[in-house]
Amino acid sequence: MTTVELTRFRVPPDRAQELLDARPGMIGAFRTDRHGFLGAQLVRIDDEEWLDIVWWAVADDLDASQAKGGNLPAVQAFFAPISELLSSERGALLDATAQPW
């Protein structure tokens, strides 16, 4: 069953562009290095808070990705501007009107 990862974090406003510039590289790294990665969306909540929504084929794929952490430079570049992790949750996707991938 598709697993959805919801990660909320802070990025200082002066580093927001750095985060956005690093995003395509991180997505590319996930596509090649993270089995079961289906897609992601990045939501800016306010000047400092962001929500990353990531879809995985199954929960084990998310677990394996988390075990890898920032194993690649492109992933590290995306993580670098993040000043604080606010929350990290997961759930099973039960209904979707449209798939983002």
Side-chain angles (χ1 to χ4, degrees):
M1 179 175 292
T2 301
T3 297
V4 181
E5 175 186 18
L6 304 164
T7 306
R8 194 168 175 151
F9 54 87
R10 281 202 171 98
V11 174
D14 63 335
R15 296 194 72 185
Q17 192 58 52
E18 180 183 348
L19 181 85
L20 294 171
D21 290 345
R23 183 71 169 183
M26 189 272 301
I27 295 295
F30 269 34
R31 289 195 192 288
T32 59
D33 185 60
R34 309 290 169 118
H35 179 76
F37 172 74
L38 300 176
Q41 291 182 319
L42 183 62
V43 178
R44 188 176 197 164
I45 296 170
D46 63 28
D47 284 347
E48 291 189 42
E49 288 191 23
W50 299 71
L51 175 66
D52 204 359
I53 305 166
V54 184
W55 289 270
W56 299 94
V58 295
D60 287 347
D61 296 332
L62 170 55
D63 293 338
S65 176
Q66 289 178 332
K68 288 184 176 188
N71 66 322
L72 298 172
V75 178
Q76 293 170 12
F78 180 77
F79 290 167
I82 297 172
S83 63
E84 182 181 359
L85 177 65
L86 299 174
S87 66
S88 182
E89 298 177 285
R90 69 173 68 193
L93 182 63
L94 300 179
D95 180 56
T97 56
Q99 293 180 339
W101 51 89

